[in-house]
Amino acid sequence: MMHALIHAHDWSQASIGSPPDWPAPLRYAVRLMLDSPEPICLAWGPDLILLYNDAYRPLLGVKHPLAFAQPLARAWPDSWFVVEPFVRQTLSGRPVMQRDYPMKVDRGAGIEQAYFTFSYAPLRGDGGLIEGIYCTVHETTPSVIAAQQRDSAETELRELNHFLERSLLERTHERNQLWEVSRDLFLIADLDGRALSVNPAWERVLGYPQGEFLGRTTEWLEHSDD
């Protein structure tokens, strides 16, 4: 489809001229872009005229086809202030690589938060000077949002665990206080009724050391004189 659009477009007013007059490096880059299954765009000339392939079109939304053969700043006015520094860096000969980069974009349904992984490489003309940029881009919004939701769920789980641990410690502290100061007789026994632990009240009330009760059943108290 983009092959056809390039051939059908009226290039008479374009600053880069018509395809037959394009320099060989630009024609080669356009062929490479159109044959690629990856979303790719390029911008050429002083106005950075935007060209792109079929895989790139969904990233534009309703901006296509109006964005085609327009200056890059006019094609992406809502995010130009974000990408312009990367464009300038690339035009100076320093390629750019960004992963999961956040951008506010308007594709016809209002401003939305999106994320992109992209690379910019300089395109050189016949004389070896940089005359454009070659951009490979993948939208990563779904995977970034999924990761954010996973991180949020993990954070909530950690906070819940921390709350439960704190509550358990508080309840344990309260139980230990009750165990130590209560005047009631408390014990922990095994399935046979033998005491495994008794609280201090046993010694205070009955006068026996706490160790006397361990391993015994309450029957011992009933026949303690034997």
Side-chain angles (χ1 to χ4, degrees):
M1 185 174 189
M2 294 308 299
H3 285 84
L5 183 57
I6 288 176
H7 288 295
H9 186 74
D10 181 7
W11 297 97
S12 60
Q13 303 300 318
S15 61
I16 62 173
S18 59
D21 300 325
W22 289 348
L26 175 57
R27 293 199 304 271
Y28 174 77
V30 169
R31 285 197 302 270
L32 186 65
M33 174 188 72
L34 294 176
D35 290 340
S36 175
E38 294 185 306
I40 294 175
C41 72
L42 64 83
W44 186 270
D47 297 328
L48 294 174
I49 298 301
L50 177 65
L51 306 174
Y52 48 88
N53 63 2
D54 289 314
Y56 186 87
R57 283 168 46 211
L59 301 180
L60 288 164
V62 297
K63 293 180 185 295
H64 173 78
L66 296 178
F68 179 75
Q70 294 296 314
L72 187 59
R74 188 181 303 167
W76 284 104
D78 44 301
S79 54
W80 174 244
F81 75 97
V82 176
V83 302
E84 183 181 13
F86 300 133
V87 171
R88 300 304 173 196
Q89 177 179 327
T90 306
L91 292 174
S92 71
R94 295 175 293 143
V96 170
M97 179 69 196
Q98 293 289 332
R99 298 187 185 278
D100 299 329
Y101 195 85
M103 289 190 196
K104 300 286 187 179
V105 298
D106 184 356
R107 291 181 275 205
I111 300 294
E112 59 179 298
Q113 179 68 68
Y115 299 85
F116 300 90
T117 291
F118 57 88
S119 64
Y120 288 178
L123 284 176
R124 300 181 183 274
D126 286 328
L129 297 178
I130 297 174
E131 298 191 39
I133 62 172
Y134 191 87
C135 177
T136 300
V137 56
H138 294 275
E139 182 167 3
T140 59
T141 303
S143 61
V144 171
I145 291 178
Q148 290 174 342
Q149 292 174 340
R150 183 175 61 251
D151 291 344
S152 177
E154 291 176 351
T155 298
E156 290 178 1
L157 181 59
R158 285 195 298 269
E159 291 176 350
L160 176 59
N161 287 338
H162 179 68
F163 170 77
L164 293 176
E165 289 174 358
R166 188 172 64 250
S167 298
L168 179 60
L169 289 174
E170 291 173 354
R171 293 291 300 274
T172 301
H173 179 69
E174 292 172 359
R175 185 205 63 188
N176 289 342
Q177 282 189 316
L178 179 63
W179 178 272
E180 293 293 331
V181 304
S182 176
R183 289 181 293 181
D184 295 326
L185 305 182
F186 296 141
L187 66 81
I188 300 174
D190 62 16
L191 295 177
D192 295 322
R194 288 188 294 268
L196 300 176
S197 179
V198 297
N199 71 331
W202 286 75
E203 184 172 344
R204 290 196 298 267
V205 173
L206 300 178
Y208 293 99
Q210 287 177 265
E212 290 287 332
F213 302 104
L214 301 184
R216 301 175 182 269
T217 68
T218 55
E219 293 181 357
W220 173 75
L221 293 175
E222 299 172 7
H223 306 285
S224 57
D225 294 336
D226 293 345

